Amino acid sequence: MSAAHRHTAHLRRVLLLGLGLLVLGAGAMLLGLGIGSTGFESLLLARHDPVALQIVWDIRLPRTLGAWLAGALLGLAGSVAQGLFRNPLADPYLLGSASGASLGVALALLMFGGSAASTQWVMRLGLTGAAFVGAVVAVMLTLLLARGVQQTLRLLLAGVIVGVVLGAAKDLITIASADILQAIQGFILGSTGLVGWSACAVMAMVGAVCLLLG
């Protein structure tokens, strides 16, 4: 088999795999629309019942789509990390971003004195912003220690060091203020309870820009 035929066969397999994953994702989203106190009843009655339509369209669909988009962005981040480190086992946490985000949330909770389960938008935006800033600071520290991205091994070791140090700092904060431990765990695990159409639009826009740049 020639190289052109092998490339065509590989491309066909990739397209079939992608199509299969999209079909499975659509099926999972359909199941997500049926999750709730009324189950699939609201989904079946959505065409004729305005209340059921509101439940499906304004509550269940954006949450389900938001979870799907979040998973897609995480997968994209993992793919970028694998390409950067040229290792199929690499993940975005190797740069210390996860530890930095956790530390940012811990510091924010320590200053706010609130709970991640709070429904106040200011609190939510504050925690999200703190996690983003913490992740960016962690990545910048990793790049500073590694002196750029030219040496992947040096970058990997710097990311591990930054992750361990920032993770230890987060643990010290939770030990000193144990009442925020549950809130930190709840934020790290995540929730789609406050996801709406605006959040889905932001995630879709970010994903489209990253795909175009990639």
Side-chain angles (χ1 to χ4, degrees):
M1 182 182 294
S2 65
H5 288 167
R6 287 197 298 269
H7 178 72
T8 302
H10 176 70
L11 183 60
R12 186 182 297 112
R13 287 195 296 269
V14 170
L15 290 176
L16 289 176
L17 178 60
L19 181 60
L21 291 176
L22 286 176
V23 171
L24 289 176
M29 288 187 62
L30 184 61
L31 289 176
L33 295 179
I35 295 178
S37 58
T38 57
F40 283 96
E41 182 179 355
S42 296
L43 185 61
L44 297 175
L45 298 176
R47 292 185 58 185
H48 309 288
D49 188 352
V51 175
L53 178 61
Q54 185 178 14
I55 291 174
V56 173
W57 182 257
D58 294 333
I59 299 177
R60 294 183 183 178
L61 185 56
R63 293 180 181 180
T64 304
L65 182 60
W68 190 90
L69 289 170
L73 290 173
L74 288 174
L76 180 60
S79 178
V80 171
Q82 291 170 5
L84 177 63
F85 291 105
R86 295 179 176 86
N87 189 330
L89 298 179
D91 59 57
Y93 304 108
L94 293 179
L95 296 178
S97 58
S99 298
S102 300
L103 178 58
V105 172
L107 290 173
L109 287 171
L110 187 63
M111 291 185 295
F112 292 159
S115 169
S118 175
T119 57
Q120 297 179 5
W121 278 104
V122 175
M123 186 67 182
R124 285 288 182 178
L125 291 174
L127 290 181
T128 303
F132 178 76
V133 172
V136 171
V137 170
V139 173
M140 295 301 294
L141 286 175
T142 300
L143 293 176
L144 182 63
L145 287 176
R147 298 178 182 177
V149 297
Q150 290 78 14
Q151 298 291 334
T152 55
L153 180 58
R154 183 187 299 171
L155 185 64
L156 174 63
L157 294 176
V160 171
I161 292 172
V162 170
V164 170
V165 173
L166 296 185
K170 185 264 294 183
D171 292 337
L172 286 176
I173 292 176
T174 55
I175 290 175
S177 182
D179 56 323
I180 68 174
L181 178 60
Q182 184 177 359
I184 292 176
Q185 292 298 324
F187 186 87
I188 293 176
L189 289 175
S191 172
T192 59
L194 294 177
V195 175
W197 285 115
S198 58
C200 291
V202 171
M203 287 188 285
M205 182 179 62
V206 171
V209 171
C210 292
L211 287 175
L212 289 176
L213 293 177

